[in-house]
Amino acid sequence: MCLRLRKMYNIKQSTDTKEAAAIEARRNREKERQNRFFNVRNRVMGVDVQALNNQVGDRKRREAAERSKEAAYGTSQVQYDVVVQMLEKEEADRTCRLAKKVQEFREQKQQLKNGREFSLWDPGQVWKGLPTYLSYSNTYPGPASLQYFSGEDLDRDTRLRMQQGQFRYNLERQQQEQQQAKVDENYADALSNQLRLAMDAQATHLARLEESCRAAMMCAMANANKAQAAVQAGRQRCERQREQKANLAEIQHQSTSDLLTENPQVAQHRMAPYRVLPYCWKGMTPEQQAAIRKEQEVQRSKKQAHRQAEKTLDTEWKSQTMSSAQAVLELEEQERELCAVFQRGLGSFNQQLANEQKAQQDYLNSVIYTNQPTAQYHQQFNTSSR
């Protein structure tokens, strides 16, 4: 409820914390500005030489690290290219040797005369199938010659010997093929093992090269860092010497100048008496201090009056908030009472409707629906409808 009223009336909170934070930020900025202005070295030179030197050193170290990284990457790239060329050459040699062995196997083991389908290329196959005593005859005897009968197998023994020889040849050939396949498989396994060993050896060699390259790069980086550290130490030593000289000169200047005197006239500008020289200012006069304290008292009284006005406004807002909350509570109570009255009226109205419906139902059951139709009535109604 309070949040709703605050959003309704747009109540603003106190800004003392924000003002204090803003004042503190302005005070910090003023201190930083004074430190920059009163720093003799920066005021005389105009730039921060140490920061510039640090930036130059960082850039040189970054460039050296990038150059060493690029050199290591180039070395590793060359090594990878050499390995790839060696692997490609070995794969080409292995393919050539395999093709040569396949061609030799075809020339030695897969001749046309040793094939199972060589009989398809024999032009005298038909005449070789006839009996021996008929192979060289120009006349073909008929059934009346009693020399050749239908279904007679005159070359059964020869055919069985040929079949046995063919079977033996096929069996020997299958054994030779199996042995050759096993030899080829063993040879292929040996080649794959040799290739794997070569690749492992090459990977080990590459790992050693990479480790040596990394060690060389780390050594070079360490030497570069040592050189940079030596240069940085020399630069810092020179910087400390220059700073000591500047400090001694500043001490000498402060000791011999009017800066350490207590004369307030030294801080006045010769050409403009109303201006003040910051580097010779010795403090305010009692009159200036009294004016500042007077102005502070005026500001303090104004601030107190402003706080009192804000406190009064907050009190008024609180009272208005309490009255608004009380009014809202009263309205909610009235709403609840009206809802209760409405519920009671609605219940009585529903009860009245229920009584009327019950009376009507009783009337229908006792007066209208007393004469029930019999089976004869239904039978008569069906006969008339036909």
Side-chain angles (χ1 to χ4, degrees):
M1 183 61 68
C2 295
L3 181 60
R4 187 186 302 171
L5 292 173
R6 185 176 298 172
K7 290 182 179 179
M8 184 185 299
Y9 295 104
N10 194 12
I11 299 174
K12 295 183 179 180
Q13 298 179 354
S14 178
T15 58
D16 292 341
T17 307
K18 296 181 180 178
E19 291 180 359
I23 292 171
E24 186 67 24
R26 287 198 298 271
R27 188 179 293 111
N28 294 331
R29 288 197 297 271
E30 183 65 23
K31 288 181 180 179
E32 292 178 358
R33 190 174 66 85
Q34 290 179 3
N35 292 330
R36 291 196 304 272
F37 286 171
F38 294 127
N39 191 350
V40 179
R41 183 183 173 196
N42 293 338
R43 186 173 68 248
V44 174
M45 299 183 68
V47 294
D48 192 357
V49 181
Q50 184 66 28
L52 295 177
N53 293 331
N54 293 334
Q55 292 179 1
V56 173
D58 293 339
R59 188 184 65 183
K60 289 182 179 179
R61 285 193 295 272
R62 186 167 58 252
E63 290 177 355
E66 290 179 357
R67 285 195 297 271
S68 61
K69 188 184 294 184
E70 290 178 357
Y73 179 76
T75 305
S76 61
Q77 189 68 26
V78 171
Q79 294 174 359
Y80 294 154
D81 292 340
V82 172
V83 171
V84 170
Q85 291 177 2
M86 292 174 61
L87 292 176
E88 289 180 353
K89 184 177 180 181
E90 186 175 357
E91 182 67 21
D93 294 340
R94 188 175 68 84
T95 304
C96 184
R97 290 195 301 270
L98 184 61
K100 187 175 181 180
K101 289 183 178 296
V102 170
Q103 185 63 27
E104 291 178 356
F105 176 78
R106 288 176 178 174
E107 291 177 356
Q108 295 176 3
K109 304 297 181 179
Q110 294 182 351
Q111 297 180 2
L112 182 61
K113 64 182 179 179
N114 297 328
R116 297 185 180 92
E117 61 274 2
F118 178 72
S119 59
L120 298 176
W121 302 92
D122 189 4
Q125 181 182 6
V126 179
W127 294 103
K128 289 179 181 180
L130 295 176
T132 306
Y133 57 92
L134 296 177
S135 300
Y136 303 99
S137 177
N138 294 328
T139 60
Y140 186 81
S145 62
L146 298 178
Q147 294 182 5
Y148 177 76
F149 300 97
S150 177
E152 185 178 4
D153 189 5
L154 299 177
D155 296 334
R156 182 175 181 276
D157 297 333
T158 304
R159 180 172 53 78
L160 290 177
R161 284 194 299 272
M162 291 178 63
Q163 288 178 356
Q164 291 177 0
Q166 185 68 26
F167 178 75
R168 189 181 302 106
Y169 171 75
N170 293 333
L171 184 60
E172 292 176 355
R173 187 172 180 181
Q174 288 178 3
Q175 291 178 355
Q176 291 176 1
E177 289 178 356
Q178 290 178 358
Q179 292 176 359
Q180 186 64 29
K182 187 177 294 184
V183 171
D184 294 339
E185 185 178 359
N186 294 331
Y187 181 72
D189 293 338
L191 288 179
S192 63
N193 292 330
Q194 291 178 2
L195 179 60
R196 190 180 300 107
L197 292 175
M199 292 178 66
D200 293 340
Q202 190 66 27
T204 305
H205 181 63
L206 288 177
R208 292 199 188 95
L209 290 177
E210 186 177 359
E211 187 67 26
S212 62
C213 182
R214 187 182 295 107
M217 186 171 62
M218 294 297 293
C219 183
M221 189 177 295
N223 295 331
N225 291 332
K226 289 180 181 179
Q228 290 179 0
V231 173
Q232 186 70 17
R235 189 183 296 110
Q236 291 179 358
R237 185 169 58 254
C238 295
E239 185 65 26
R240 283 197 298 271
Q241 292 177 359
R242 286 197 297 269
E243 188 174 357
Q244 289 178 359
K245 290 181 181 179
N247 292 333
L248 291 175
E250 183 68 19
I251 293 171
Q252 184 69 21
H253 175 71
Q254 294 292 340
S255 300
T256 57
S257 64
D258 295 334
L259 184 63
L260 298 178
T261 61
E262 298 297 334
N263 186 11
Q265 300 296 329
V266 178
Q268 293 182 357
H269 201 278
R270 291 188 178 89
M271 302 301 296
Y274 57 88
R275 294 181 59 186
V276 177
L277 299 177
Y279 54 88
C280 295
W281 190 59
K282 298 300 179 179
M284 295 184 295
T285 61
E287 292 80 8
Q288 293 176 349
Q289 293 179 1
I292 290 173
R293 291 193 182 92
K294 185 178 180 180
E295 184 65 24
Q296 288 178 350
E297 288 294 333
V298 172
Q299 292 178 358
R300 190 180 297 109
S301 60
K302 290 182 179 179
K303 188 67 175 179
Q304 187 69 25
H306 180 67
R307 290 180 179 176
Q308 188 65 29
E310 287 183 351
K311 187 181 294 183
T312 305
L313 183 61
D314 292 339
T315 305
E316 292 178 358
W317 275 112
K318 288 180 180 179
S319 61
Q320 187 176 0
T321 302
M322 294 297 294
S323 60
S324 300
Q326 187 67 27
V328 169
L329 291 174
E330 292 177 358
L331 289 175
E332 290 180 353
E333 185 66 26
Q334 291 178 4
E335 184 178 0
R336 285 195 294 271
E337 291 178 357
L338 291 175
C339 289
V341 172
F342 177 74
Q343 290 293 335
R344 289 195 296 271
L346 183 62
S348 61
F349 179 72
N350 291 333
Q351 186 65 32
Q352 184 179 356
L353 287 177
N355 294 332
E356 291 178 358
Q357 290 179 359
K358 184 176 179 182
Q360 186 177 3
Q361 189 66 32
D362 293 340
Y363 173 75
L364 292 174
N365 293 331
S366 61
V367 178
I368 303 300
Y369 300 140
T370 55
N371 190 10
Q372 297 294 334
T374 61
Q376 184 179 1
Y377 171 77
H378 289 292
Q379 184 177 3
Q380 184 180 358
F381 178 75
N382 291 331
T383 305
S384 61
S385 61
R386 292 178 183 175

